Amino acid sequence: MVRTPKEGLWVQGARKFAVNGLPPLGCIPIGITKLPPNPENTKPVKNSKCKCLEYVNDISQEFNSLLQEKLQDLESILSETKIAYIDFEESLLDAIQNPNSYGFNEVNKGCCGTGLTEIGINRTGTTPICVDASKYVFWDAAHPTEKTNEIIFTSNLPAIDDLIGN
C-alpha cells in the first residue's frame, strides 16, 4: 500500500525530519570485495590507496541528487515542514580520499575480521578485531567506525542546527 505524504508521522504531528543520503557505496569494503571491478574508461580515484568502484559511486551520487529533489518537493507540499538532508557521501569520501588528514591508516577494509566481508551478525565472539579502530575508516565491511561517524556528524551540524533552530 502506498502512503500519501500526509499519512504516517506527518499526520501524528511531526514537522521536522532529517533524511540521510547514501554513502559512496563504491568505496565500502564489502562492495569493493564482492562487486565487479571498474569498467575501463572510468574516472580515476584521487587517492591511490583507495580502491573505490567509481561506477557504483556514480549510482550513489545520482540517487542522492534525486533524493534531495524529492525532499525539496515534499517540503514545499507539506505546510510547516522542515526537512534536512544529511550528507553521508561527501564527508565519508573525503575521509577515504584524504586519510592522513584524519589520522586513518586503512581505507579499504574494516577493523573487524578480515574487514572485507564480515558485517553485523556475521561477526562472532571469536572474530578478530584490530588493535586501534581509530586508524580505520570502517568498523566492519560496511559500517563506519566511531571516529568516522563523528566526522560525518560534524560535517552535517549546520543542517542539523538549521533543522532544530539553533
Side-chain angles (χ1 to χ4, degrees):
M1 176 178 183
V2 177
R3 291 181 181 257
T4 65
K6 294 201 174 195
E7 291 181 352
L9 293 172
W10 195 89
V11 167
Q12 295 178 34
R15 296 295 182 267
K16 295 181 181 185
F17 299 89
V19 179
N20 64 280
L22 292 176
L25 293 174
C27 296
I28 292 176
I30 196 163
I32 295 168
T33 302
K34 299 283 187 177
L35 294 171
N38 279 323
E40 290 188 33
N41 301 321
T42 58
K43 295 183 282 184
V45 177
K46 289 181 186 175
N47 173 1
S48 61
K49 289 175 105 178
C50 182
K51 298 176 183 174
C52 294
L53 302 173
E54 290 301 319
Y55 75 98
V56 178
N57 282 350
D58 290 344
I59 295 167
S60 298
Q61 287 175 340
E62 179 66 19
F63 175 87
N64 289 339
S65 293
L66 292 171
L67 175 61
Q68 289 175 73
E69 288 175 24
K70 292 298 180 189
L71 293 176
Q72 289 172 354
D73 291 346
L74 269 177
E75 194 173 45
S76 68
I77 292 168
L78 300 172
S79 63
E80 302 173 20
T81 300
K82 281 188 92 167
I83 302 174
Y85 173 74
I86 305 301
D87 185 347
F88 272 60
E89 185 177 31
E90 188 175 327
S91 54
L92 181 55
L93 195 55
D94 188 51
I96 290 166
Q97 293 177 337
N98 302 296
N100 295 338
S101 299
Y102 299 96
F104 293 123
N105 293 337
E106 182 56 64
V107 298
N108 294 310
K109 65 180 187 174
C111 167
C112 183
T114 65
L116 302 173
T117 58
E118 300 87 358
I119 56 173
I121 61 171
N122 295 341
R123 298 184 343 258
T124 67
T126 60
T127 303
I129 298 174
C130 67
V131 175
D132 186 358
S134 71
K135 300 295 182 191
Y136 286 70
V137 172
F138 295 97
W139 168 248
D140 59 15
H143 302 99
T145 58
E146 181 178 351
K147 181 177 177 179
T148 307
N149 277 317
E150 185 177 332
I151 292 165
I152 294 167
F153 172 76
T154 301
S155 73
N156 282 286
L157 268 176
I160 295 166
D161 286 345
D162 184 54
L163 179 67
I164 60 175
N166 285 343

